[in-house]
């Protein structure tokens, strides 16, 4: 049984940083493209960034560029989302998702596996 588990969310002040982790069981994340999505209350789930299988591609939404970084550790599991210079508008539930193919799509339905999400709240 495949399971993705996010961790590292919490409450942070504007301008602060958080590092989210996405760990997998039942599959090898190194062989999968991993994306991070977020969903704020009353809004649709939106793609934030991703790293392709084989690490050939990393892609970011405009709001994440220069502030967020996606990476894998040496063991390729888990995948990290480093978030710096956080803003109140970054407040959302953050989800990691995985797919077998190497491209980095932005649409949620193209991902096969999902975590349960972790809450990130940016507030003073």
């Amino acid at each position: 049984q495949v399971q993705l588990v996010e961790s590292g969310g919490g409450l942070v002040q504007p301008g602060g940083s958080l590092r989210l982790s996405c760990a997998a069981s039942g599959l090898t994340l190194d062989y999968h493209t991993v994306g991070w999505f977020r969903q704020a209350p009353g809004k649709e789930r939106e793609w934030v960034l991703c790293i392709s299988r084989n690490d050939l591609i990393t892609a970011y939404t405009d709001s994440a560029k220069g502030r967020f970084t996606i990476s894998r550790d040496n063991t390729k599991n888990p995948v990290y989302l480093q978030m710096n210079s956080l803003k109140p508008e970054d407040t959302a539930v953050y989800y990691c998702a995985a797919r077998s193919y190497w491209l980095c799509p932005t649409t949620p339905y193209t991902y096969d596996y999902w975590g349960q999400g972790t809450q990130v709240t940016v507030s003073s």
Side-chain angles (χ1 to χ4, degrees):
Q1 182 179 359
V2 174
Q3 189 175 18
L4 300 183
V5 178
E6 303 94 338
S7 61
L11 173 65
V12 63
Q13 292 187 342
S17 298
L18 281 175
R19 189 177 78 159
L20 306 183
S21 298
C22 174
S25 59
L27 62 78
T28 303
L29 278 181
D30 187 31
Y31 299 150
H32 290 75
T33 289
V34 177
W36 283 94
F37 291 76
R38 66 186 182 186
Q39 188 166 18
K43 295 188 176 181
E44 292 185 353
R45 190 168 299 188
E46 66 169 348
W47 172 81
V48 180
L49 73 176
C50 71
I51 186 166
S52 69
R53 197 176 73 180
N54 297 329
D55 299 351
L56 291 176
I57 298 172
T58 55
Y60 301 79
T61 191
D62 287 345
S63 64
K65 287 178 182 177
R67 300 189 301 127
F68 294 2
T69 304
I70 189 170
S71 64
R72 305 181 193 264
D73 72 2
N74 290 333
T75 66
K76 307 292 187 171
N77 186 14
V79 172
Y80 298 107
L81 170 56
Q82 176 67 43
M83 302 187 294
N84 300 324
S85 302
L86 283 162
K87 305 174 182 180
E89 52 264 42
D90 294 318
T91 295
V93 177
Y94 283 71
Y95 299 89
C96 68
R99 67 192 301 266
S100 299
Y101 299 103
W102 69 277
L103 293 176
C104 269
T106 62
T107 48
Y109 70 84
T110 59
Y111 288 78
D112 302 311
Y113 309 105
W114 288 85
Q116 82 290 347
T118 185
Q119 177 70 47
V120 171
T121 302
V122 184
S123 175
S124 55

